[in-house]
Amino acid sequence: MNRIQQLFKKPGGKLIPYVTAGYPSLNLTTKLVLAMEKGGADMIELGLPFSDPLADGPVIQASSQVALKNGVNTQWVLEQVEIIRKSSQIPITLMGYINPILKYGYNKFFFDCQQVGVDGIIAPDLPIEEAKDFVLLSKSNNISPILLVAPNTPNDRIRTISQMAGDLVYCVAILGVTGEKLSKEATLVKYLSRVRENSNTPFIVGFGIKTHQDVERINRLSDGAVVGTSFVEKLRDSNHPEKTVLKYVKELKGVK
Amino acid sequence: MENPIKTYTLPDEKGHFEIFGGQYVPETLIPALSELKELYNTLKQDGAFTEELSQILKSYAGRPTPLTYANRISEELGFHVYLKREDLAHTGAHKINNVLGQILLAKRMGEKRIIAETGAGQHGVATATAAAKFGFPCTIYMGTEDIERQKLNVFRMELLGAEVIPVSSGSCTLKDAINEAIRDWITNVETTYYLIGSVVGPHPYPMIVRDFQSIIGKETKIQFKDITNGDQAPDTIVACVGGGSNAIGIFHTFLSDNVRLVGVEAAGKGLKTDKHAASITKGSFGVLHGSASFILQSEDGQITLPHSISAGLDYPGVGPEHSYLKSIGRVEYASATDDESISAYIWLSEKEGILPALESAHALSFLRSPDNGIHSGENVVICLSGRGDKDVQTVAEFLGRDI
């Protein structure tokens, strides 16, 4: 059983911070992940930067550009996970667009992910129509393929997606790209209840989640809240990145 | 060489041309793509729809466009050159064929708003034109780099009532304009129709755009027979390839015929430099903007910046069907540099009294290449995809002329 499967066997909402690997600088990635864990994060989503991130808003786009300028590639991100694993067992999922993963090679990618201790993969531009090999190879390497559901995904498709994913599904909270505003309560309740009824697996929710209140709201309706853009924004404006993320994780958890 | 294509039915149900094509997009877009696919598959069998489209192509876009015999360059080259005059279609390029087809789809879908990307501005102008004609609000995404080199087209779009949104991320050209249009579409998917301008993007777009552009080849086939008093088909057809819509448009009807088909990519400052846009000739397999194809990318799978003097060819990918046709050897792909294209632009202007678009000048340039494999006396059709008025400023700058 991998760390994601173990984590989601436990009841209760989880907090999942996101950070773009190699942002704001190369030497910070492992430190930021460990600081997030220290603050009480349940799982980490680590972004593999891509030149053309079409599901991301301007903040994460800009962080990807910086990371790529810093020289980040897939190999380097996997090395950071290997370093983190020396001192931490926090579940880690990578979030990456499919082209760099294809270029790295599916076989090699999933094998290497398993070797360094990655637990899950999210590919935001890979719908189930194109995900067959991806899911097969992921599972055969004991990695959870975290497939996506959107607010306009029909019920029968939610069932298919969750069945294919097997362990965990990622629900995009809004019709939009990362960093936009969260929907109204009624819309969210309706959407996430629909997912609850149709999904065979636990599900986490991301896009537009920024505050402790947002996290509480989302966690009442799902199994976990992903916070991304706000972490990147806070890092962008911070002189003490580790302290900043530690404090923000606590704030999101509602811990003094 | 034997033609590998006997009957041609691609793409398959999921939009694949073997390993190319597909739907590599965020989940949010899947319902919209499915709806579009279903509607299109119904409407293409619907006589009223096809009649409405052919009427508007005739009465508004000016189709059929002529096939012109280019006697002076034919004499110079020693073979017969025919120009398929897409430059004479309304708005000055082949782009209008696809736009009018898709805007009728948008109308049937009950969409409230049209968005599009543009590189050279020709697709943006065509979209703004059709949006005006059909009463849709229209937003066009355009890279700031392209806005700079195609100011005339930006103003044309504004005159047509469209809002032009400058895109200053990445390379500030067509690829980034497409990213931004897709982000808009993800956000406004319930009210907005994304009118893609080339045979790129997720399924069903490469198929739909191809079908709407295939009128170029269908007309060419009939016109060629008329002009030559019954010759079956031309020996060779040449078209430029950026995303590749005019090329697919003229090739498609001839795929199972015994006709040599040549696509000409932009070699920019040369294929030995990194400043070109030759995705088929120099690229590798990858995924960009929703489909798998040949793309220009780094060893790490990051998209690299293309270069071409022609904004319409300045794109790091190519339609998936072209990659497929290359992979099975049905279409040959050559390239022309910035210099060669400018020279062909001037050549056609002086010899035939036609200013070609710089994009089309790439195809023309192939005729003058010493190793083009064209035999004397052959019949060659060039897809003259657009007119060159928009490029006058670029050509003048290239020649160091102040106008």
Side-chain angles (χ1 to χ4, degrees), chain A residues 51-53 99 130 152 157, chain B residues 23 27-28 175 179 287 302:
Chain A
S51 54
D52 296 79
N99 193 56
E130 308 294 343
N152 53 355
R157 193 172 160 94
Chain B
Q23 293 184 313
E27 175 66 19
T28 314
K175 125 184 133 71
N179 288 337
V287 168
Q302 306 297 338

Side-chain angles (χ1 to χ4, degrees), chain B residues 2-72:
Chain B
E2 197 177 331
N3 189 341
I5 294 176
K6 304 283 181 269
T7 54
Y8 191 77
T9 54
L10 294 176
D12 68 16
E13 178 58 22
K14 293 200 168 161
H16 292 117
F17 302 86
E18 289 187 351
I19 59 169
F20 304 103
Q23 293 184 313
Y24 295 84
V25 290
E27 175 66 19
T28 314
L29 297 180
I30 294 290
L33 292 170
S34 304
E35 189 192 347
L36 177 60
K37 186 177 76 178
E38 274 165 38
L39 178 84
Y40 176 70
N41 283 335
T42 311
L43 286 180
K44 75 177 176 189
Q45 324 275 3
D46 174 344
F49 177 81
T50 50
E51 183 52 30
E52 187 180 4
L53 178 57
S54 75
Q55 269 308 315
I56 193 158
L57 285 171
K58 188 176 164 191
S59 64
Y60 186 68
R63 300 209 74 88
T65 60
L67 186 67
T68 304
Y69 182 62
N71 61 302
R72 291 191 68 209

Side-chain angles (χ1 to χ4, degrees), chain A residues 49-54 56 61 68 73 99-100 102-103 124-127 130 148 150 152-153 157 161 175-176 180, chain B residues 16 22-28 30-31 175 179 183 186-187 190 284 286-287 295 297-303:
Chain A
F50 181 49
S51 54
D52 296 79
L54 46 75
D56 284 302
Q61 279 176 51
L68 291 174
N73 63 13
N99 193 56
L102 271 175
K103 189 73 179 165
D125 55 349
L126 197 73
E130 308 294 343
L148 288 95
N152 53 355
T153 307
R157 193 172 160 94
I161 292 170
L175 293 176
E180 285 175 14
Chain B
H16 292 117
Q23 293 184 313
Y24 295 84
V25 290
E27 175 66 19
T28 314
I30 294 290
K175 125 184 133 71
N179 288 337
R183 289 181 189 119
I186 290 172
T187 309
E190 288 175 319
S284 55
V287 168
I295 62 174
Q297 58 183 326
S298 71
E299 280 179 11
D300 297 327
Q302 306 297 338
I303 308 306

Side-chain angles (χ1 to χ4, degrees), chain B residues 239-253:
Chain B
C240 66
V241 177
S245 69
N246 87 88
I248 286 284
I250 198 164
F251 292 165
H252 188 246
T253 312

Side-chain angles (χ1 to χ4, degrees), chain A residues 184-204:
Chain A
K184 288 190 192 107
E185 184 70 13
T187 314
L188 271 176
V189 170
K190 202 175 156 202
Y191 165 40
L192 296 176
S193 316
R194 208 161 60 76
V195 179
R196 183 62 86 197
E197 276 167 36
N198 291 285
S199 176
N200 298 310
T201 66
F203 59 95
I204 55 176

Side-chain angles (χ1 to χ4, degrees), chain B residues 6 16 47 64 175 217 241 252 271 277-278 332 349 354 359 367:
Chain B
K6 304 283 181 269
H16 292 117
K175 125 184 133 71
V241 177
H252 188 246
L271 293 182
E332 293 166 51
S349 304
I354 299 169
E359 290 78 10
L367 301 177

